[in-house]
Amino acid sequence: MWRETFGRNITHVDIEPIGDEPFHAEVTFQALPDVAVAFGSRSPARYHIARPHLAHKRDTFGLTMLLSGASTTFQLGSEIAGEPGGGIVTPGTDPSTSVMHRAGRIVTIVLPRPDVAALAPNLETAFARPLPAGNGALRLLGRYVGALCQGDALQTPELARTAATHIIDLAALAIGASPDAAHLAAQRGAAAARLQSLKADIRAQLGNRDLSVAVIAAQHGVTPRYVQKLFERDGTTFSAFALRCRIARARQLLKDPRFFSHAISTIAFECGFGDLSYFNRSFRRMYGATPSDIRDAGLREARSGEREPP
């Protein structure tokens, strides 16, 4: 079923499992204007793109990033070993075989050849060659498309078009954009991806009371002022974003039955607040209700659910 539905009807590849272990694959698709993203995991298998499959791929090319596992790609007489964190650029005009030797995770992006070539004039020299794991734009691209596939941020056609533009920008930067195009792409796609990456790391560290612009900037190898400018362009500040995330996380925990035994003060401290009065004021200002109101509503909802008949 996977070979027929995913391979032959969606991605136009033949799939041949390797070894005796059960075949496994899990893929999330994100379809954008002129760009397609597949993000997921694979067990060992060979993926063949034969010449009859290429009619669907003439004006596109693929950029595949290996997140984990081991792989090899064969195309244009080259044998490219996959490096976790690295990428491979494969043209849509020539047959290829990709072998997943060990189960792992992969991101594949199908990109419009003319759009990327306009930014990266030497695109064809990158075909069937590896992009190293140390490529900063490639790393940003991987995090950006990962967040897109795991979230629901693309609620309008305008957002989808913007995301596609950012992906094209980052791909061009990773491959090698011309100086003028690199400046444009850095101001546009790279900045958007960097901001998304910063936000993801802030959300992951909400419990750290010492979280600051300086801490996040150091983790990303940029200056605090650069972090501040990215948030300013987004219409907010680092502090305001972190505060909203902390309060939203606290509200989520207050409504979660697994945390009903936790004191409100404990939840506030776990979300990074050091001052309970400040937490209460900020919470009420954001939600128009006190933390106790939200906790009580969660308790009533839970009890109501318990009384419902099976």
Side-chain angles (χ1 to χ4, degrees):
M1 289 178 63
W2 187 265
R3 179 187 287 118
E4 290 298 324
T5 303
F6 171 81
R8 293 175 181 166
N9 293 325
I10 298 177
T11 56
H12 307 289
V13 301
D14 280 329
I15 305 170
E16 178 189 348
I18 298 174
D20 298 326
E21 67 179 84
F23 177 80
H24 167 83
E26 177 185 353
V27 176
T28 298
F29 288 101
Q30 184 65 261
L32 302 169
D34 300 322
V35 173
V37 179
F39 185 99
S41 59
R42 300 176 181 178
S43 60
R46 291 184 180 88
Y47 291 77
H48 303 281
I49 299 179
R51 196 160 294 282
H53 301 138
L54 297 174
H56 303 274
K57 305 173 185 289
R58 287 292 177 183
D59 292 328
T60 66
F61 70 95
L63 198 169
T64 299
M65 288 170 279
L66 181 68
L67 304 182
S68 63
S71 71
T72 305
T73 298
F74 301 87
Q75 191 180 44
L76 297 174
S78 298
E79 178 179 334
I80 309 105
E83 175 189 14
I88 299 172
V89 181
T90 54
T93 53
D94 296 271
S96 66
T97 298
S98 297
V99 183
M100 196 73 179
H101 303 287
R102 189 171 65 247
R105 297 186 63 77
I106 282 183
V107 177
T108 298
I109 309 170
V110 179
L111 292 150
R113 188 169 180 160
D115 294 48
V116 177
L119 299 172
N122 296 322
L123 170 62
E124 293 192 6
T125 65
F127 288 158
R129 293 187 180 182
L131 298 176
N135 186 311
L138 186 68
R139 186 166 55 249
L140 274 178
L141 177 59
R143 297 193 67 169
Y144 187 73
V145 298
L148 290 179
C149 289
Q150 295 169 5
D152 57 353
L154 305 180
Q155 299 169 349
T156 67
E158 291 76 15
L159 287 174
R161 169 58 66 183
T162 299
T165 299
H166 293 162
I167 289 172
I168 290 170
D169 285 341
L170 288 166
L173 284 172
I175 292 167
S178 66
D180 289 344
H183 178 74
L184 174 62
Q187 293 295 314
R188 194 169 54 186
R194 177 71 72 187
L195 178 61
Q196 189 173 74
S197 182
L198 292 168
K199 288 180 174 180
D201 282 350
I202 290 169
R203 293 189 187 100
Q205 301 177 67
L206 294 176
N208 177 9
R209 297 180 205 172
D210 295 325
L211 186 64
S212 66
V213 172
V215 168
I216 288 292
Q219 291 173 356
H220 284 255
V222 297
T223 66
R225 181 56 191 150
Y226 179 67
V227 173
Q228 291 169 334
K229 288 176 68 174
L230 288 179
F231 278 98
E232 288 168 4
R233 291 175 191 168
D234 199 43
T236 186
T237 66
F238 172 91
S239 298
F241 177 79
L243 178 61
R244 285 200 308 272
C245 290
R246 282 174 162 151
I247 295 174
R249 174 62 175 159
R251 183 176 184 271
Q252 181 183 21
L253 297 182
L254 288 167
K255 296 181 66 176
D256 190 330
R258 295 172 297 176
F259 292 86
F260 284 166
S261 61
H262 292 218
I264 290 176
S265 59
T266 300
I267 288 176
F269 296 145
E270 287 178 352
C271 292
F273 289 93
D275 185 323
L276 189 58
S277 297
Y278 176 63
F279 165 70
N280 287 325
R281 290 195 307 273
S282 301
F283 193 98
R284 185 160 191 164
R285 186 163 53 246
M286 183 166 171
Y287 289 113
T290 67
S292 297
D293 293 336
I294 300 299
R295 164 63 59 81
D296 291 343
L299 287 167
R300 288 194 300 270
E301 184 178 336
R303 288 167 183 160
S304 175
E306 290 173 358
R307 290 195 297 268
E308 292 181 1

